[in-house]
Amino acid sequence: MVTFLRRIVMMIHGFLLFSLCFSDYGFLQGVTSLGINYGQVGSNLPQPDRVLDLLSSLKLTKARIYDTNPQILTAFANSNIELIVTIENQMLPVVMDPQQSLQWVSTHIKPYFPATKITGIAVGNEVFTDDDTTLIGYLVPAILSIHGALVQLGLDKYIQVSTPNSLAVLEESFPPSAASFKSEVSVVMSQFLQFLSSTGSPFWINAYTYFAYKDDPNMISLDYVLFNRNPGMIDPYTKLHYDNMLYAQVDAVVYAMFRLGYGGIEVRVSETGWPSKGDPNEIGATAENAAVYNRNLLTRQMNNEGTPLRPDMRLEVYLFALFNEDMKPGPTSERNYGLFQPDGTMAYNVGLPALATTSSTSSASISLTSSATKVKP
């Protein structure tokens, strides 16, 4: 009993401390396009109602989950959290059938909406680069069926449908203006982009500059991938200057879509982050680098920045992740992307209060809405 109470006290202390860093100093005041990924592959994560308290204390109003956990959907009801839910990859062959899609939406979405602000459905995750290549053939039919079910139930005006993609879907990504999708996915990708264009839905990209640095630390500047001050790079074809890799990655996706004939689709970052711990061969995976990456990214979010190619479109970004997930397989870094430990204590201090001293109030709320001004490249 004593141990349990000690954990609760530690959790509350962590929540309050992080809240001070982010809200009492007004750090998130004015941020309009920031969300966070709420993964659940942990052995001792806080209950969803406590997670809701944490998000509220941080003044975050956007989150993404990797399923349709009914406990989360219920706990988040009547809150101001906009939620993206996920259909798992293994469900794609099922929901590609229109009747199965209607049943899925009727069971997993309709009972909770609109009390729970479900704003997006991710149909699969990184399907184009999944080891199971048969999934690609199911993707667009599943997306069309899910959207059709939303239309049938009158929910399509409120809930967008898309799928998050790995940057590995690109054949070329540097310089950004030379980017293209891999030829083996171009046919299905064109069908997917046609859907996005016709419905006004975004292209979601999971973009990790950490991987690029880890794979080639001698050639890639750490300052460039961490948003620190650096000379940056100039795209030789467009003459656009990039002072960080994330924006270059996003613009590479825009150019790749343009090459397939689609120039007006918004790109949003569905995942980005930096691990605070890694194996000996995972160069750069440190708490210091994680704190710098997230601090600098959040500073950019404060300024509602766009990319060099689309400076007038605020870049929507979802941080990965809210918690370290101690049950995830793979290298050590996979379990250490969180801002918090599974028990609710802080994984590391992002160190943000000093950056927000210009805030005029410590109690101002923020609006994290998707109101980007859409422009073509």
Side-chain angles (χ1 to χ4, degrees):
M1 182 67 179
V2 173
T3 302
F4 174 77
L5 290 175
R6 182 179 294 112
R7 283 182 58 192
I8 294 297
V9 170
M10 290 174 64
M11 182 187 302
I12 294 173
H13 174 74
F15 285 6
L16 290 176
L17 180 58
F18 212 72
S19 178
L20 284 173
C21 290
F22 277 75
S23 62
D24 280 1
Y25 287 86
F27 177 77
L28 289 179
Q29 181 186 3
V31 178
T32 57
S33 50
L34 177 67
I36 198 158
N37 286 277
Y38 170 17
Q40 304 155 59
V41 192
S43 61
N44 55 345
L45 296 176
Q47 291 299 307
D49 58 340
R50 291 191 176 275
V51 175
L52 177 61
D53 290 340
L54 172 59
L55 295 177
S56 298
S57 72
L58 301 179
K59 300 192 183 298
L60 285 168
T61 61
K62 289 187 177 184
R64 174 187 171 213
I65 60 175
Y66 293 84
D67 53 19
T68 52
N69 186 326
Q71 288 184 305
I72 296 175
L73 296 182
T74 300
F76 281 33
N78 303 309
S79 72
N80 66 338
I81 303 298
E82 298 179 9
L83 200 60
I84 296 174
V85 301
T86 302
I87 299 174
E88 296 90 334
N89 286 7
Q90 63 268 24
M91 283 294 296
L92 297 190
V94 177
V95 298
M96 65 181 290
D97 176 77
Q99 290 302 316
Q100 292 293 332
S101 279
L102 181 60
Q103 181 178 344
W104 188 91
V105 173
S106 298
T107 303
H108 296 272
I109 303 296
K110 188 178 179 182
Y112 304 98
F113 185 89
T116 301
K117 296 180 180 178
I118 301 170
T119 59
I121 298 175
V123 180
N125 185 53
E126 300 189 349
V127 174
F128 281 103
T129 51
D130 194 277
D131 291 338
D132 184 355
T133 56
T134 64
L135 290 176
I136 297 178
Y138 303 133
L139 180 61
V140 173
I143 288 173
L144 292 174
S145 292
I146 289 293
H147 178 71
L150 293 173
V151 171
Q152 191 170 339
L153 295 172
L155 303 178
D156 58 300
K157 296 179 181 178
Y158 311 100
I159 302 174
Q160 294 182 316
V161 180
S162 188
T163 188
N165 297 279
S166 164
L167 271 174
V169 78
L170 296 178
E171 184 71 52
E172 299 290 342
S173 62
F174 182 85
S177 63
S180 61
F181 291 111
K182 290 183 175 178
S183 58
E184 59 264 33
V185 304
S186 60
V187 173
V188 178
M189 182 63 72
S190 294
Q191 298 169 354
F192 172 56
L193 295 179
Q194 172 60 41
F195 169 81
L196 298 183
S197 179
S198 64
T199 59
S201 301
F203 188 103
W204 286 329
I205 189 74
N206 297 339
Y208 291 90
T209 64
Y210 162 71
F211 292 135
Y213 177 74
K214 177 182 73 71
D215 291 342
D216 199 357
N218 294 323
M219 293 297 296
I220 295 177
S221 163
L222 182 61
D223 287 332
Y224 181 62
V225 296
L226 290 179
F227 295 93
N228 282 333
R229 183 172 297 180
N230 69 95
M233 59 82 67
I234 295 177
D235 188 308
Y237 303 108
T238 64
K239 307 305 179 184
L240 292 175
H241 177 257
Y242 292 87
D243 65 358
N244 69 86
M245 180 177 283
L246 181 67
Y247 288 4
Q249 291 174 334
V250 170
D251 280 354
V253 173
V254 176
Y255 280 110
M257 292 192 296
F258 187 74
R259 278 188 164 74
L260 290 181
Y262 297 91
I265 298 172
E266 181 181 359
V267 177
R268 298 178 185 174
V269 180
S270 42
E271 291 181 16
T272 192
W274 196 283
S276 59
K277 187 185 300 183
D279 294 322
N281 65 334
E282 295 188 290
I283 299 173
T286 68
E288 179 183 5
N289 286 340
V292 170
Y293 183 84
N294 285 316
R295 180 182 69 230
N296 287 341
L297 176 59
L298 291 170
T299 301
R300 301 290 183 123
Q301 288 288 293
M302 279 182 63
N303 296 328
N304 291 321
E305 285 189 355
T307 66
L309 182 60
R310 291 175 165 177
D312 297 325
M313 180 185 288
R314 290 189 293 268
L315 180 63
E316 184 167 302
V317 174
Y318 281 70
L319 290 177
F320 188 88
L322 187 57
F323 296 108
N324 282 340
E325 299 171 74
D326 61 350
M327 295 174 62
K328 292 189 74 172
T332 297
S333 62
E334 286 295 311
R335 294 177 288 280
N336 289 279
Y337 276 90
L339 300 178
F340 288 90
Q341 300 286 4
D343 65 1
T345 57
M346 293 174 62
Y348 54 87
N349 192 339
V350 182
L352 295 169
L355 298 177
T357 55
T358 58
S359 175
S360 60
T361 175
S362 63
S363 60
S365 62
I366 61 169
S367 172
L368 299 179
T369 57
S370 302
S371 56
T373 301
K374 297 184 177 181
V375 295
K376 295 184 179 181

